[in-house]
């Protein structure tokens, strides 16, 4: 029976998902083994029950904090997908700066935003400190890289889709 696979994009740049697409024709092998029940292009209001979820990005706002708990509850195997999910990485660079300064800079000071407003309803409020997934929920596997290489992503997916634990040796962990 096919596994149910979800991919989720939280506080990240989507580069990890781009790298997933770089597995190219091997996507067909994944498609034989799994149904994509949720992804940035297979959207739905509710997060569905699934066997495997690749979660890109750190927890950066209140919505991410809620979402990750729902994902954890409904997912058998949760994978921290990429360095932002694993360590906070690029997303956590703002932790050194108070969030009101970050918002002011982003919405009021950079070219094209002068005279604008800091949205307080349309976007989820930033949390004080960006954090990696494992600080909020149990993570089953870590898939490092910024982004992880397509080969590494395929290896991890392929093993998990066969109910095997992926082995990340030094060679596979090469960034690239
Ligand atoms: Fe983007 Fe790198 Fe973070 Fe992936 S790990 S979301 S590629 S910054």
């Amino acid at each position: 029976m096919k596994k149910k696979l979800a991919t989720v994009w939280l506080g990240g740049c989507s580069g990890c998902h781009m790298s997933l697409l770089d597995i190219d024709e091997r996507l067909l092998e994944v498609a034989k083994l799994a149904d994509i029940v949720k992804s940035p292009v297979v959207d739905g209001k509710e997060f569905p029950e699934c066997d495997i979820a690749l979660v890109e990005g750190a927890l950066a706002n209140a919505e991410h904090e809620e979402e990750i708990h729902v994902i954890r509850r409904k997912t058998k195997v949760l994978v921290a997908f990429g360095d932002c999910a694993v360590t906070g990485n690029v997303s956590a660079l703002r932790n050194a700066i108070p969030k009101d300064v970050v918002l002011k800079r982003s919405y009021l000071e950079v070219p094209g935003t002068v005279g604008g407003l800091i949205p307080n309803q349309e976007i989820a409020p930033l949390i004080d400190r960006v954090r990696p997934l494992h600080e909020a929920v149990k993570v089953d596997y870590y898939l490092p890289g910024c982004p992880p290489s397509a080969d590494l992503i395929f290896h991890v997916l392929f093993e998990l889709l066969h109910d095997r634990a992926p082995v990340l040796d030094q060679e596979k962990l090469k960034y690239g």
Side-chain angles (χ1 to χ4, degrees):
M1 199 165 115
K2 279 186 168 185
K3 302 267 192 224
K4 291 180 181 165
L5 173 65
T7 77
V8 185
W9 174 12
L10 300 181
C13 73
S14 87
C16 293
H17 273 79
M18 294 300 119
S19 198
L20 169 63
L21 296 179
D22 282 342
I23 70 176
D24 296 329
E25 70 280 0
R26 291 172 292 181
L27 282 169
L28 296 175
E29 286 184 56
V30 172
K32 280 185 206 153
L33 299 165
D35 287 323
I36 312 271
V37 293
K38 174 93 175 166
S39 82
V41 290
V42 182
D43 217 355
K45 280 199 172 148
E46 304 246 321
F47 187 84
E49 302 279 340
C50 68
D51 296 299
I52 301 164
L54 302 184
V55 183
E56 171 188 324
L59 308 173
N61 66 35
E63 213 169 88
H64 299 154
E65 292 271 4
E66 282 175 26
E67 212 174 330
I68 195 64
H69 288 286
V70 174
I71 294 166
R72 178 67 278 181
R73 256 198 328 277
K74 296 190 163 185
T75 301
K76 289 183 190 151
V77 177
L78 192 155
V79 180
F81 180 25
D83 281 351
C84 291
V86 174
T87 68
N89 191 38
V90 174
S91 304
L93 288 177
R94 77 146 165 98
N95 286 348
I97 307 166
K99 70 180 177 190
D100 53 331
V101 175
V102 171
L103 287 168
K104 195 165 161 239
R105 179 77 184 140
S106 306
Y107 286 101
L108 304 181
E109 293 177 355
V110 294
T113 64
V114 177
L117 289 172
I118 296 176
N120 55 13
Q121 288 181 339
E122 294 81 6
I123 61 164
L126 296 184
I127 51 176
D128 289 338
R129 187 179 142 267
V130 174
R131 41 192 206 136
L133 305 190
H134 69 267
E135 288 194 14
V137 295
K138 176 177 175 283
V139 168
D140 298 300
Y141 292 99
Y142 294 88
L143 211 175
C146 182
S149 70
D151 287 346
L152 183 61
I153 295 170
F154 180 72
H155 167 74
V156 168
L157 254 184
F158 193 75
E159 294 300 294
L160 292 177
L161 289 170
H162 285 93
D163 292 318
R164 297 189 292 253
V167 177
L168 305 189
D169 59 33
Q170 207 56 35
E171 185 58 24
K172 290 197 184 67
L173 280 174
K174 272 192 317 196
Y175 280 42

